[in-house]
Amino acid sequence: MKYSSELIQTMRQALETVMANVPAHQSVFGLKAAVAECILKAAAHGQTSYDGLVTSASDQVQAIVAMLT
């Protein structure tokens, strides 16, 4: 899938925001990559707003942490 440079920047900002809100004890190996994948999937399904991407990824952090530990 091809994304505009603006959307890529929005996805990067969303990823950094989500990761900044993850408590240190939950920051497990592979978490950032999994969150990035979640953001990419949300964008592929039409979610293109910063707030929407942050919400989509934030809602999945606990499940991702549980899967990776």
Side-chain angles (χ1 to χ4, degrees):
M1 187 150 218
K2 188 165 175 95
Y3 299 108
S4 70
S5 58
E6 294 84 11
L7 181 54
I8 291 169
Q9 185 61 32
T10 300
M11 289 189 289
R12 284 183 179 147
Q13 290 171 337
L15 176 61
E16 293 308 317
T17 298
V18 172
M19 293 306 298
N21 290 315
V22 174
H25 70 278
Q26 290 185 330
S27 187
V28 296
F29 180 77
L31 178 61
K32 190 170 186 176
V35 171
E37 182 179 358
C38 181
I39 290 171
L40 282 169
K41 286 180 182 178
H45 286 98
Q47 181 55 259
T48 58
S49 74
Y50 168 81
D51 290 335
L53 293 169
V54 169
T55 299
S56 294
S58 295
D59 289 348
Q60 297 299 315
V61 168
Q62 295 303 319
I64 294 169
V65 169
M67 179 184 68
L68 294 174
T69 56

